[in-house]
Amino acid sequence: MNAQRFFTQRHIVFALATLCCLLWGSAYPSIKSGYALFQIAQGDIASKMVFAGYRFVLAGGILLVLAVLWKKPLFNFSAREFGRVCVLGLTQTTLQYVFFYIGLAYTTGVKGSIMNATGTFFSVLLAHFIYHNDRLSINRVLGCVLGFFGVMVVNFSHDLLDFHFSLAGEGSVVLAACILSAASIYGKRLSQTMDSVVLTGYQLAIGGLALTLGGFLCGGGLIAASFKASMLLGYLAILSSVAFALWTLLLKYNRVGLVAIFNFLIPVFGALLSAIFLDERILEWKNVIALVLVCAGIWMVTREPAQKAPATSCASNEA
C-alpha cells in the first residue's frame, strides 16, 4: 500500500489526527510543569522563547536523524527550495510562537486558549479560496461553530464575562493563529515536492533556532536543568517531532478542512490531561459537554463525501 492510499483512508486520518491532538494536548501540562522545573517566571517571555526553541531544535534534530536512518536524502533540494523551508520555519514555528507568547502576557490563559482556537476557522476559510475541492459548506461551517463552542465550554470561567479586547493581548493570539494557519497551508504545498519528514525536521530546527537566539538576545535563558527537567524537555521534543510530522503527512494527502477540524480537540485534551497530571478536577460537566460538542463538530465536517486532495493550489505556482 502506497503512502497516499494509506494516509487518505478515513479511519487512518481520524486516528492519526486524534493522536496528534492528544500529543499536543499533553503539551499543556508538560509546558506548565517545565516552567516550574526550569524556574521560568510567568512574565518571562524571553526565557519561554528559549525553552520553546530548545524543544523545537531537538524535535527537528530527531526527525532529521530518523531521515538519515531511513536513507532519505537531506540535501536533495535547490537553494530556492531551502529558502522556502526557512520561510516556513520562521513563520510556522518562530513568528507564531512569538505573537502567541506576547498575547498570553497581556490576556488570561482562558481567553488565550479560546482566541487560539480561531486558527481552525482561518484554515478552513483559506482552504476555501485556495483549493477547488475544499470549499465551505453548511456542514463545515456548523461543525466549526460546534467545535469552537466546545473550546469555549472547556475554558468556561468568569474570565469569559470580561469582553475586553486588546490588540497586544487577544489580538496577538489571533494573529498567531492566523499565521499558523497560513503557514500550515504553505507547508502543505511544499510537502508535494519534498519529503514530509525532512521538510518538518528542517522547519522545526530552523524555527527553533531562531526562537532560541531571539530569546537569548532579549535576555532570556534557562537554569541548569535537573534530570527530571531534561526528561520533560525530551518528551516535549519527541511529541513535537511525531505530531508535526504526522500532521504534515495528513495535510499533504487530504483536504485542509478535513484535517483542521480536529484542532478543536487540542484544548479539550489539554484540559483533561491537565486535570489528571496537575491534580485538577477532571469529572466536571464542562469537560464532558465540550468533548461532545467538539466530537459533534468533527462528525459534521468529516461525514462529507471523501474527495482527493489536490497536489497544488488553484492559485499561481509561485510561492
Side-chain angles (χ1 to χ4, degrees):
M1 183 183 295
N2 60 33
Q4 180 169 355
R5 185 177 177 186
F6 178 80
F7 285 105
T8 52
Q9 295 185 70
R10 284 298 179 98
H11 66 282
I12 297 296
V13 174
F14 297 170
L16 292 182
T18 301
L19 173 61
C20 289
C21 295
L22 177 62
L23 289 171
W24 280 321
S26 72
Y28 280 55
S30 300
I31 291 173
K32 187 178 292 187
S33 299
Y35 290 162
L37 290 172
F38 284 98
Q39 299 180 28
I40 300 175
Q42 183 176 359
D44 190 354
I45 297 177
S47 293
K48 289 181 178 180
M49 288 173 59
V50 174
F51 180 67
Y54 281 3
R55 168 191 172 189
F56 293 123
V57 168
L58 288 171
I62 290 171
L63 288 177
L64 293 177
V65 169
L66 288 176
V68 171
L69 295 176
W70 292 335
K71 302 186 184 304
K72 297 178 182 290
L74 293 185
F75 308 104
N76 189 25
F77 46 76
S78 65
R80 185 177 186 183
E81 287 175 323
F82 184 71
R84 291 172 175 173
V85 175
C86 289
V87 170
L88 179 64
L90 293 175
T91 52
Q92 185 169 347
T93 300
T94 307
L95 197 59
Q96 75 97 3
Y97 263 89
V98 169
F99 279 109
F100 183 70
Y101 283 138
I102 291 174
L104 286 186
Y106 292 96
T107 188
T108 63
V110 169
K111 294 175 72 175
S113 180
I114 292 172
M115 293 297 103
N116 194 46
T118 59
T120 302
F121 289 107
F122 289 126
S123 294
V124 171
L125 187 61
L126 288 172
H128 171 79
F129 290 107
I130 295 174
Y131 297 109
H132 287 303
N133 70 340
D134 214 352
R135 300 299 192 189
L136 286 172
S137 65
I138 296 298
N139 279 351
R140 186 167 297 185
V141 172
L142 290 178
C144 287
V145 170
L146 281 175
F148 188 71
F149 273 121
V151 174
M152 292 186 67
V153 169
V154 81
N155 286 284
F156 182 79
S157 73
H158 292 295
D159 290 334
L160 291 181
L161 302 178
D162 176 14
F163 296 101
H164 174 72
F165 184 94
S166 69
L167 289 178
E170 293 82 3
S172 292
V173 176
V174 171
L175 181 58
C178 182
I179 291 172
L180 180 59
S181 299
S184 295
I185 291 179
Y186 183 60
K188 172 182 173 69
R189 183 172 182 176
L190 296 184
S191 69
Q192 305 302 322
T193 56
M194 290 187 64
D195 181 85
S196 297
V197 174
V198 175
L199 171 64
T200 308
Y202 272 122
Q203 78 89 359
L204 286 173
I206 292 168
L209 181 61
L211 272 175
T212 304
L213 293 175
F216 278 129
L217 289 175
C218 293
L222 299 180
I223 63 170
S226 63
F227 177 75
K228 186 176 181 179
S230 299
M231 290 297 290
L232 183 64
L233 183 59
Y235 170 72
L236 284 168
I238 292 171
L239 81 83
S240 297
S241 61
V242 172
F244 277 104
L246 288 176
W247 199 258
T248 301
L249 282 166
L250 291 174
L251 285 177
K252 177 177 182 176
Y253 294 116
N254 296 278
R255 291 174 294 147
V256 174
L258 178 67
V259 179
I261 187 66
F262 285 87
N263 274 315
F264 286 129
L265 282 172
I266 298 175
V268 177
F269 283 142
L272 294 174
L273 293 171
S274 294
I276 294 172
F277 292 105
L278 301 179
D279 296 325
E280 299 172 359
R281 293 182 58 190
I282 184 173
L283 296 177
E284 294 188 5
W285 62 268
K286 65 178 184 179
N287 292 337
V288 177
I289 294 176
L291 188 58
V292 170
L293 286 172
V294 171
C295 289
I298 291 173
W299 176 77
M300 291 199 70
V301 171
T302 57
R303 74 190 184 107
E304 294 179 349
Q307 297 180 41
K308 186 177 179 181
T312 56
S313 71
C314 62
S316 167
N317 288 328
E318 287 298 316

mmCIF file of all heavy atoms in Angstrom, residues 58-78:
data_model
loop_
_atom_site.group_PDB
_atom_site.id
_atom_site.type_symbol
_atom_site.label_atom_id
_atom_site.label_comp_id
_atom_site.label_asym_id
_atom_site.label_seq_id
_atom_site.Cartn_x
_atom_site.Cartn_y
_atom_site.Cartn_z
ATOM 1 N N LEU A 58 15.458 20.385 19.149
ATOM 2 C CA LEU A 58 15.583 18.956 19.433
ATOM 3 C C LEU A 58 14.609 18.140 18.587
ATOM 4 O O LEU A 58 14.963 17.075 18.056
ATOM 5 C CB LEU A 58 15.338 18.697 20.920
ATOM 6 C CG LEU A 58 16.433 19.144 21.888
ATOM 7 C CD1 LEU A 58 15.953 19.011 23.335
ATOM 8 C CD2 LEU A 58 17.698 18.331 21.672
ATOM 9 N N ALA A 59 13.366 18.627 18.460
ATOM 10 C CA ALA A 59 12.367 17.915 17.664
ATOM 11 C C ALA A 59 12.804 17.815 16.206
ATOM 12 O O ALA A 59 12.697 16.750 15.575
ATOM 13 C CB ALA A 59 11.020 18.626 17.761
ATOM 14 N N GLY A 60 13.292 18.922 15.666
ATOM 15 C CA GLY A 60 13.774 18.908 14.287
ATOM 16 C C GLY A 60 14.960 17.973 14.122
ATOM 17 O O GLY A 60 15.061 17.243 13.129
ATOM 18 N N GLY A 61 15.872 17.988 15.113
ATOM 19 C CA GLY A 61 17.033 17.106 15.060
ATOM 20 C C GLY A 61 16.633 15.639 15.069
ATOM 21 O O GLY A 61 17.217 14.819 14.346
ATOM 22 N N ILE A 62 15.639 15.300 15.879
ATOM 23 C CA ILE A 62 15.155 13.913 15.935
ATOM 24 C C ILE A 62 14.663 13.464 14.563
ATOM 25 O O ILE A 62 14.989 12.367 14.087
ATOM 26 C CB ILE A 62 14.025 13.781 16.974
ATOM 27 C CG1 ILE A 62 14.585 13.935 18.387
ATOM 28 C CG2 ILE A 62 13.312 12.435 16.839
ATOM 29 C CD1 ILE A 62 13.512 14.029 19.462
ATOM 30 N N LEU A 63 13.881 14.308 13.903
ATOM 31 C CA LEU A 63 13.330 13.942 12.597
ATOM 32 C C LEU A 63 14.429 13.827 11.534
ATOM 33 O O LEU A 63 14.382 12.933 10.679
ATOM 34 C CB LEU A 63 12.284 14.965 12.157
ATOM 35 C CG LEU A 63 10.959 14.921 12.917
ATOM 36 C CD1 LEU A 63 10.038 16.039 12.445
ATOM 37 C CD2 LEU A 63 10.271 13.570 12.731
ATOM 38 N N LEU A 64 15.421 14.711 11.582
ATOM 39 C CA LEU A 64 16.496 14.649 10.590
ATOM 40 C C LEU A 64 17.374 13.418 10.803
ATOM 41 O O LEU A 64 17.839 12.804 9.828
ATOM 42 C CB LEU A 64 17.334 15.936 10.657
ATOM 43 C CG LEU A 64 16.600 17.208 10.214
ATOM 44 C CD1 LEU A 64 17.488 18.430 10.388
ATOM 45 C CD2 LEU A 64 16.139 17.096 8.758
ATOM 46 N N VAL A 65 17.586 13.041 12.059
ATOM 47 C CA VAL A 65 18.335 11.807 12.339
ATOM 48 C C VAL A 65 17.560 10.597 11.820
ATOM 49 O O VAL A 65 18.129 9.686 11.204
ATOM 50 C CB VAL A 65 18.610 11.671 13.856
ATOM 51 C CG1 VAL A 65 19.131 10.272 14.183
ATOM 52 C CG2 VAL A 65 19.620 12.723 14.313
ATOM 53 N N LEU A 66 16.252 10.588 12.062
ATOM 54 C CA LEU A 66 15.418 9.496 11.545
ATOM 55 C C LEU A 66 15.461 9.453 10.021
ATOM 56 O O LEU A 66 15.473 8.370 9.416
ATOM 57 C CB LEU A 66 13.975 9.666 12.029
ATOM 58 C CG LEU A 66 13.710 9.377 13.510
ATOM 59 C CD1 LEU A 66 12.260 9.692 13.861
ATOM 60 C CD2 LEU A 66 14.023 7.922 13.832
ATOM 61 N N ALA A 67 15.462 10.624 9.408
ATOM 62 C CA ALA A 67 15.520 10.686 7.946
ATOM 63 C C ALA A 67 16.805 10.040 7.435
ATOM 64 O O ALA A 67 16.798 9.319 6.425
ATOM 65 C CB ALA A 67 15.422 12.132 7.479
ATOM 66 N N VAL A 68 17.913 10.284 8.123
ATOM 67 C CA VAL A 68 19.187 9.672 7.738
ATOM 68 C C VAL A 68 19.112 8.153 7.903
ATOM 69 O O VAL A 68 19.548 7.394 7.031
ATOM 70 C CB VAL A 68 20.344 10.247 8.585
ATOM 71 C CG1 VAL A 68 21.634 9.454 8.338
ATOM 72 C CG2 VAL A 68 20.573 11.713 8.257
ATOM 73 N N LEU A 69 18.559 7.699 9.034
ATOM 74 C CA LEU A 69 18.442 6.260 9.287
ATOM 75 C C LEU A 69 17.548 5.589 8.253
ATOM 76 O O LEU A 69 17.748 4.412 7.916
ATOM 77 C CB LEU A 69 17.896 6.017 10.699
ATOM 78 C CG LEU A 69 18.799 6.464 11.862
ATOM 79 C CD1 LEU A 69 18.103 6.255 13.196
ATOM 80 C CD2 LEU A 69 20.124 5.697 11.829
ATOM 81 N N TRP A 70 16.523 6.317 7.785
ATOM 82 C CA TRP A 70 15.625 5.779 6.769
ATOM 83 C C TRP A 70 16.143 6.003 5.353
ATOM 84 O O TRP A 70 15.424 5.784 4.377
ATOM 85 C CB TRP A 70 14.237 6.413 6.916
ATOM 86 C CG TRP A 70 13.531 6.004 8.178
ATOM 87 C CD1 TRP A 70 13.744 4.856 8.889
ATOM 88 C CD2 TRP A 70 12.505 6.722 8.862
ATOM 89 N NE1 TRP A 70 12.913 4.831 9.993
ATOM 90 C CE2 TRP A 70 12.136 5.961 10.005
ATOM 91 C CE3 TRP A 70 11.856 7.944 8.651
ATOM 92 C CZ2 TRP A 70 11.160 6.366 10.904
ATOM 93 C CZ3 TRP A 70 10.878 8.360 9.539
ATOM 94 C CH2 TRP A 70 10.535 7.576 10.654
ATOM 95 N N LYS A 71 17.409 6.504 5.270
ATOM 96 C CA LYS A 71 18.082 6.729 3.985
ATOM 97 C C LYS A 71 17.344 7.722 3.093
ATOM 98 O O LYS A 71 17.272 7.570 1.872
ATOM 99 C CB LYS A 71 18.296 5.396 3.250
ATOM 100 C CG LYS A 71 19.105 4.370 4.048
ATOM 101 C CD LYS A 71 19.409 3.132 3.238
ATOM 102 C CE LYS A 71 20.125 2.078 4.080
ATOM 103 N NZ LYS A 71 21.361 2.582 4.695
ATOM 104 N N LYS A 72 16.782 8.735 3.720
ATOM 105 C CA LYS A 72 16.150 9.818 2.966
ATOM 106 C C LYS A 72 17.193 10.906 2.697
ATOM 107 O O LYS A 72 17.962 11.252 3.591
ATOM 108 C CB LYS A 72 14.975 10.422 3.748
ATOM 109 C CG LYS A 72 13.830 9.453 4.003
ATOM 110 C CD LYS A 72 12.735 10.118 4.813
ATOM 111 C CE LYS A 72 11.599 9.161 5.121
ATOM 112 N NZ LYS A 72 10.815 8.827 3.915
ATOM 113 N N PRO A 73 17.263 11.442 1.499
ATOM 114 C CA PRO A 73 18.250 12.497 1.195
ATOM 115 C C PRO A 73 17.924 13.800 1.932
ATOM 116 O O PRO A 73 16.792 14.279 1.866
ATOM 117 C CB PRO A 73 18.126 12.670 -0.321
ATOM 118 C CG PRO A 73 16.745 12.192 -0.646
ATOM 119 C CD PRO A 73 16.435 11.098 0.332
ATOM 120 N N LEU A 74 18.926 14.341 2.632
ATOM 121 C CA LEU A 74 18.702 15.563 3.409
ATOM 122 C C LEU A 74 18.962 16.832 2.599
ATOM 123 O O LEU A 74 18.517 17.912 3.001
ATOM 124 C CB LEU A 74 19.608 15.576 4.646
ATOM 125 C CG LEU A 74 19.350 14.533 5.727
ATOM 126 C CD1 LEU A 74 20.268 14.792 6.927
ATOM 127 C CD2 LEU A 74 17.897 14.565 6.162
ATOM 128 N N PHE A 75 19.687 16.726 1.499
ATOM 129 C CA PHE A 75 20.082 17.933 0.761
ATOM 130 C C PHE A 75 19.617 17.884 -0.689
ATOM 131 O O PHE A 75 20.212 18.506 -1.560
ATOM 132 C CB PHE A 75 21.606 18.096 0.830
ATOM 133 C CG PHE A 75 22.151 18.052 2.226
ATOM 134 C CD1 PHE A 75 22.808 16.924 2.688
ATOM 135 C CD2 PHE A 75 21.970 19.130 3.087
ATOM 136 C CE1 PHE A 75 23.300 16.873 3.982
ATOM 137 C CE2 PHE A 75 22.457 19.087 4.384
ATOM 138 C CZ PHE A 75 23.127 17.961 4.834
ATOM 139 N N ASN A 76 18.555 17.151 -0.927
ATOM 140 C CA ASN A 76 18.048 16.997 -2.288
ATOM 141 C C ASN A 76 17.051 18.109 -2.623
ATOM 142 O O ASN A 76 15.876 17.856 -2.921
ATOM 143 C CB ASN A 76 17.399 15.630 -2.448
ATOM 144 C CG ASN A 76 17.039 15.321 -3.897
ATOM 145 O OD1 ASN A 76 17.656 15.864 -4.814
ATOM 146 N ND2 ASN A 76 16.042 14.467 -4.095
ATOM 147 N N PHE A 77 17.517 19.368 -2.531
ATOM 148 C CA PHE A 77 16.661 20.497 -2.888
ATOM 149 C C PHE A 77 17.545 21.668 -3.295
ATOM 150 O O PHE A 77 18.733 21.721 -2.964
ATOM 151 C CB PHE A 77 15.744 20.906 -1.735
ATOM 152 C CG PHE A 77 16.437 20.997 -0.400
ATOM 153 C CD1 PHE A 77 17.257 22.066 -0.084
ATOM 154 C CD2 PHE A 77 16.270 19.988 0.542
ATOM 155 C CE1 PHE A 77 17.899 22.143 1.139
ATOM 156 C CE2 PHE A 77 16.906 20.050 1.770
ATOM 157 C CZ PHE A 77 17.729 21.134 2.066
ATOM 158 N N SER A 78 16.965 22.580 -4.035
ATOM 159 C CA SER A 78 17.707 23.743 -4.519
ATOM 160 C C SER A 78 17.785 24.815 -3.449
ATOM 161 O O SER A 78 17.111 24.733 -2.409
ATOM 162 C CB SER A 78 17.017 24.307 -5.766
ATOM 163 O OG SER A 78 15.722 24.805 -5.420
#
